[in-house]
Amino acid sequence: MQARSALFDLYGDHLRPRGGRAPVAALVKLLAPLGIAPPAVRTAVSRMVRQGWLHPLRLSAGPGYLLTPKAARRLDEAAARIYRTTKIGWDGRFDLITLELPTNRRDRLRLDANLTYLGYGMLTEGTWVATRPGEDIDAVLTESGVRFERFTATHAAGTTGAMAVVRQAWDLGEVGEAYEGFIAEQRPLLTAITVRSDDEEAYAARFRLVHAWRTFLFRDPQLPPALLPERWPGTAAAAFFDRHAARLRPAADRYVDQCLDACTRPTRQKGI
């Protein structure tokens, strides 16, 4: 687990509901159970500041970092998809994008990752499609510096034709296998966490669960049910995730609160 990715998970799943800020000492303490060393945390924090995701500030407990508006918006959008708080519908139309490919390979990979994250699939090089407009898609494309055009499209063959488009843009077989692998990998780790496990163990297990589930934001475009295969493995995987994420949430919350309190208590004691 990379420190930068873990920080996004930490802020999105735990710190965003608590004001989106934390002292550096708390960030280090909260990522330690995941095996992430303090230097890696500090390096990742500095990188996220340069990229505009975090803003440094002085807290009562010492140096800390606050989510920027851009980061808060991205994490809120991710949370809605992770916990599926928004009902997925479809009006029968596609959002179609044609664009000029960036000449720099790194820029191209970054753009591909951003489009994939927003739910777009590649039909051909330079042509991307989604079943609904991605959040801030125009801003993402403008920021990339490429020339592009966006269209609203419907398929003349109706749902049957639309399903053919979906299968061209996404390898749903591969995504389905990834969901099955997710359950197979996570089940033994999660069943080992019982009522006798301590809060830190439950927190670490839940963190890894959310981290693994978050990767599907880049794999699964969350298509409307009408365009999914029968017995879609993602449905069982979502139920599995929901059950264990909810089961481990109370213990994880206690551990987070304990760490945050431990990192601020010395400062408060000095002021007594």
Side-chain angles (χ1 to χ4, degrees):
M1 188 183 300
Q2 295 182 349
R4 180 177 177 275
S5 181
L7 279 167
F8 273 110
D9 290 341
L10 176 61
Y11 271 94
D13 209 39
H14 294 293
L15 299 181
R16 173 69 171 136
R18 293 170 170 83
R21 64 184 68 197
V24 174
L27 300 179
V28 169
K29 190 175 183 66
L30 285 165
L31 293 188
L34 289 308
I36 299 175
V41 176
R42 297 178 190 278
T43 299
V45 165
S46 297
R47 182 182 176 194
M48 291 173 69
V49 169
R50 291 195 303 270
Q51 294 173 337
W53 300 111
L54 293 177
H55 178 72
L57 75 166
R58 187 76 185 180
L59 300 172
S60 60
Y65 292 88
L66 170 71
L67 287 170
T68 63
K70 177 181 79 168
R73 184 170 61 252
R74 175 62 68 90
L75 289 176
D76 288 346
E77 293 165 0
R81 292 172 62 188
I82 289 170
Y83 295 102
R84 298 170 307 287
T85 57
T86 303
K87 184 176 177 60
I88 298 175
W90 190 48
D91 60 4
R93 295 182 294 180
F94 289 103
D95 197 53
L96 188 67
I97 299 172
T98 61
L99 52 83
E100 293 183 359
L101 300 177
T103 56
N104 182 283
R105 183 174 182 273
R106 178 178 294 181
D107 292 341
R108 180 174 178 179
L109 291 175
R110 184 184 300 113
L111 179 58
D112 287 356
N114 284 332
L115 289 172
T116 302
Y117 175 82
L118 292 177
Y120 288 82
M122 185 188 295
L123 285 175
T124 63
E125 283 199 348
T127 305
W128 293 74
V129 67
T131 55
R132 57 192 177 279
E135 294 284 348
D136 296 329
I137 179 60
D138 285 332
V140 168
L141 290 169
T142 300
E143 185 178 322
S144 72
V146 300
R147 297 182 61 181
F148 67 93
E149 298 288 346
R150 282 185 63 205
F151 307 89
T152 296
T154 56
H155 202 291
T159 302
T160 301
M163 292 178 73
V165 172
V166 164
R167 279 149 184 74
Q168 182 179 345
W170 294 280
D171 186 344
L172 295 184
E174 182 180 0
V175 178
E177 290 176 1
Y179 274 126
E180 292 170 346
F182 165 80
I183 295 177
E185 179 181 314
Q186 291 293 319
R187 178 175 281 125
L189 304 176
L190 294 169
T191 54
I193 306 299
T194 68
V195 293
R196 294 185 294 276
S197 303
D198 62 32
D199 289 349
E200 181 178 339
E201 291 174 319
Y203 162 81
R206 189 182 187 282
F207 200 108
R208 292 188 175 95
L209 171 70
V210 175
H211 184 79
W213 186 249
R214 182 175 174 268
T215 64
F216 286 99
L217 297 180
F218 295 90
R219 292 180 175 181
D220 184 357
Q222 295 191 332
L223 298 170
L227 299 180
L228 287 173
E230 294 184 6
R231 295 182 294 278
W232 175 236
T235 304
F240 175 89
F241 170 79
D242 289 344
R243 182 170 66 255
H244 289 286
R247 176 175 71 89
L248 299 178
R249 167 66 85 175
D253 282 343
R254 286 195 300 270
Y255 184 76
V256 171
D257 290 336
Q258 173 191 338
C259 289
L260 291 174
D261 185 60
C263 291
T264 58
R265 191 183 306 126
T267 300
R268 290 203 299 266
Q269 289 177 345
K270 289 178 183 179
I272 293 176

